[in-house]
Amino acid sequence: MTASSQPLADLGIVGGGQLARMTAERAAKLGLKTVVLDPSADCAAGDLATRHIEASFDDADGLRELVETTRVTTFDIEAGDAAILRQLESEGGKIHPSPSVLATIQDKLVQRRFLAEHGLPVPRFEDLPNAAPEAFASFGYPLVQKARHGGYDGRGVAVLRSADDLDRALTSPSMVEEQVAIARELAALVARRPNGDSVVYDIVELFPDDATHVLEALVFPAAMDEQTHRAAQDLGRAAIDALDGVGIFAVELFLDTNGKLWVNEISPRPHNAGHVTIEAAATCQFEQHLRAILDLPLGSTRAVSAAAMVNVLGPAGLDGNARVRELSPALEVPGARLHLYGKTRSWPGRKLGHLTVLDPDPDTALERAREARTRLEFVAKEVA
């Protein structure tokens, strides 16, 4: 860091999407000022942040400005240039999670190798230097192909059950892994301080869309026996301890049909699976993340209620400036809590918000959350 630079804000965030927006909201409650770096002039966090650096995630000057003018830098997307961030860290910049953790997670093959080397259960996997038909056949069907870089929200994943599915294969640099016989998809939310102190929330059960792989809904806590629940929490904690990670992490897990737990992927930031904690836990994931990266005492992860959350996505047939026609119908559903992300533009499948419902019965909560979502209607918005 240059001798003359002085932090102008408390928190810098690489990325200005909805995760940055909700982090900035919570930061403001703690009296903290936030700067975001994002290439989009109308990014979701832009109107809540103290300042918006309009630059790409790998812009060296923009990243330097972000790190040098804030007390600590973090992420809402795994897209920062790890090499540039490593240099800034070596000059005294405080970045959590560290650029080394970011680099490990950004490349799914490197992430898989890391987890395997540390004895964590992962499906059988291989590098896929080229997507030739014989390479898939040699590995064996059914398989899951994953892009090494840039995949999220269902992008960069192809499930190939036989050679008949090769027309769906990815062409980008990728890896392949054995398809696990999944009984349930889960997530462990783990927060960890620089000194290694950590907390783990109750396990969340995820319900992804079968076609797009995007998270459609979840319930919290997941209904399972205490032994499996504890094992899933322990596995999540072990993965973040291995990384020596600081901040909040979502460790996505598979529970297979034989009752075995597997690590799927790790996200080094607040995560869609943790949105439910805003209402349903004593300390939400966004405040927990701030506590961890600022090296403050971690908050209670106690569940205050069972709950369900559903994502609100841009509807088919609407691509452009949009607004909700009327809020009342959705909010008439008992217990419905609506979070819209301030995104003025919609396109099919874009995350525009989420709905949470608290109820002692998770199934009731899920039913009501889905009902509230059906009552939200997005319409084209005229721009003056």
Side-chain angles (χ1 to χ4, degrees):
M1 304 289 281
T2 61
S4 61
S5 57
Q6 294 293 326
L8 301 178
D10 303 281
L11 179 67
I13 307 178
V14 179
Q18 64 265 20
L19 300 176
R21 180 184 179 90
M22 288 182 275
T23 303
E25 286 176 334
R26 187 57 55 168
K29 293 180 184 296
L30 296 174
L32 306 176
K33 294 182 178 180
T34 303
V35 179
V36 298
L37 180 146
D38 195 282
S40 300
D42 62 347
C43 66
D47 60 348
L48 292 181
T50 307
R51 187 158 163 263
H52 174 198
I53 300 171
E54 196 172 328
S56 66
F57 302 127
D58 60 357
D59 183 277
D61 291 336
L63 288 170
R64 177 171 290 278
E65 183 179 358
L66 182 72
V67 173
E68 289 189 347
T69 58
T70 57
R71 285 172 53 199
V72 61
T73 296
T74 190
F75 307 91
D76 100 324
I77 188 170
E78 300 94 297
D81 188 303
I84 296 171
L85 291 166
R86 274 198 185 106
Q87 176 61 36
L88 292 168
E89 184 182 52
S90 73
E91 296 172 13
K94 185 180 289 187
I95 304 168
H96 291 313
S98 73
S100 295
V101 169
L102 180 69
T104 297
I105 288 177
Q106 281 178 328
D107 186 327
K108 286 188 169 56
L109 178 62
V110 172
Q111 182 184 156
R112 268 286 181 266
R113 286 173 173 163
F114 177 91
L115 294 169
E117 288 166 2
H118 285 79
L120 296 161
V122 294
R124 180 174 64 90
F125 67 94
E126 286 183 8
D127 187 11
L128 189 71
N130 64 77
E134 55 268 23
F136 293 111
S138 175
F139 182 81
Y141 295 104
L143 59 83
V144 180
Q145 182 190 13
K146 294 182 176 180
R148 290 181 60 177
H149 299 278
Y152 69 98
D153 278 351
R155 303 177 186 90
V157 177
V159 178
L160 309 181
R161 293 178 174 81
S162 72
D164 293 338
D165 294 331
L166 283 173
D167 59 332
R168 299 207 303 267
L170 308 174
T171 57
S172 57
S174 61
M175 57 167 280
V176 288
E177 65 183 33
E178 185 176 8
Q179 186 179 27
V180 173
I182 301 170
R184 304 170 76 176
E185 297 195 32
L186 310 170
L189 300 166
V190 183
R192 188 172 184 274
R193 291 175 70 179
N195 66 1
D197 288 348
S198 63
V199 292
V200 188
Y201 287 85
D202 285 342
I203 299 300
V204 178
E205 182 166 7
L206 311 176
F207 302 103
D209 181 272
D210 291 337
T212 66
H213 309 293
V214 174
L215 180 64
E216 183 266 325
L218 61 79
V219 293
F220 168 81
M224 59 177 62
D225 64 83
E226 181 60 30
Q227 182 178 355
T228 303
H229 188 273
R230 182 70 63 184
Q233 289 180 311
D234 290 345
L235 182 54
R237 193 192 300 267
I240 305 312
D241 283 344
L243 281 169
D244 195 22
V246 175
I248 195 153
F249 296 79
V251 184
E252 298 178 32
L253 306 170
F254 294 144
L255 180 66
D256 73 16
T257 52
N258 293 318
K260 180 182 171 84
L261 288 164
W262 303 84
V263 178
N264 178 25
E265 293 180 1
I266 299 174
S267 295
R269 51 171 174 75
H271 189 268
N272 201 171
H275 293 351
V276 69
T277 62
I278 296 172
E279 285 93 10
T283 309
C284 76
Q285 68 162 342
F286 301 100
E287 180 174 332
Q288 204 74 274
H289 184 58
L290 293 170
R291 287 174 177 239
I293 64 176
L294 293 168
D295 202 14
L296 299 171
L298 297 175
S300 169
T301 59
R302 176 179 57 86
V304 299
S305 172
M309 186 220 76
V310 296
N311 275 325
V312 176
L313 306 180
L318 182 57
D319 191 338
N321 292 299
R323 62 177 177 83
V324 175
R325 184 189 294 276
E326 176 60 54
L327 293 173
S328 294
L331 296 180
E332 286 172 353
V333 174
R337 315 284 184 87
L338 175 63
H339 298 257
L340 294 176
Y341 301 151
K343 297 179 180 179
T344 57
R345 189 178 173 202
S346 170
W347 57 74
R350 189 184 196 197
K351 287 181 181 176
L352 302 179
H354 71 269
L355 279 153
T356 301
V357 173
L358 307 185
D359 193 274
D361 179 5
D363 291 336
T364 299
L366 182 57
E367 180 182 352
R368 288 178 177 169
R370 284 172 167 158
E371 168 62 22
R373 183 174 55 192
T374 66
R375 299 185 182 195
L376 279 177
E377 182 184 3
F378 286 88
V379 295
K381 178 182 178 182
E382 294 185 4
V383 179

